[in-house]
Amino acid sequence: MKELLDEWYRWAEWISSENRDETKSDDLTGWFEFNWVVEDDPELAWKAIIEAIDQPRMAPYLGTLAAGPLEDLLDLHGPAFIERIEQCARSNARFASILGDVWQSAMPDSIWKRVQAVQIC
């Protein structure tokens, strides 16, 4: 999981940079790797998202984490994770706050309403 978060962090740092070097984009695989984990191993993705939220270095990129891996996890696996999402949001204000950066996207209305009920905007 450390390698996954390290690679995603490098990508998030690069994509957020105003003066990013586009020639480095092929070397930054963090977005793709996290996306594959969300699709193929959602339990690992959930653990990585929770761990990332607690890492100080990730603070500037939590909106990107929410609008990317967390939103994708809800889109693809919402019914399996919504109860954990709700519990985490109720006990972790930072998590509830980043839920405000999640969009409905392909989420079913029933899941989206539950996300909205626990997010802090």
Side-chain angles (χ1 to χ4, degrees):
M1 182 166 19
K2 182 183 180 330
E3 185 177 321
L4 173 68
L5 290 178
D6 287 348
E7 288 298 318
W8 189 86
Y9 174 80
R10 286 182 51 228
W11 172 83
E13 188 176 47
W14 173 80
I15 200 72
S16 299
S17 173
E18 291 181 20
N19 300 315
R20 68 179 167 255
D21 181 353
E22 296 292 336
T23 63
K24 293 185 178 187
S25 66
D26 290 342
D27 297 331
L28 299 168
T29 60
W31 182 86
F32 297 105
E33 289 176 16
F34 215 140
N35 191 48
W36 291 324
V37 170
V38 167
E39 290 179 18
D40 297 336
D41 192 349
E43 288 294 335
L44 177 60
W46 171 248
K47 290 174 187 172
I49 289 165
I50 296 304
E51 186 170 319
I53 290 168
D54 290 333
Q55 291 186 7
R57 69 179 177 153
M58 296 289 193
Y61 312 114
L62 291 179
T64 304
L65 183 77
L70 180 55
E71 184 176 304
D72 294 343
L73 183 72
L74 283 160
D75 284 347
L76 296 171
H77 309 286
F81 285 89
I82 190 60
E83 288 182 18
R84 283 186 258 181
I85 299 282
E86 291 168 326
Q87 289 172 355
C88 191
R90 288 184 186 111
S91 64
N92 184 326
R94 181 179 290 160
F95 184 81
S97 178
I98 72 163
L99 281 174
D101 292 319
V102 170
W103 291 17
Q104 182 174 9
S105 192
M107 234 176 284
D109 288 339
S110 61
I111 300 295
W112 177 237
K113 287 177 185 173
R114 291 172 72 176
V115 169
Q116 288 179 303
V118 293
Q119 66 185 187
I120 298 173
C121 296

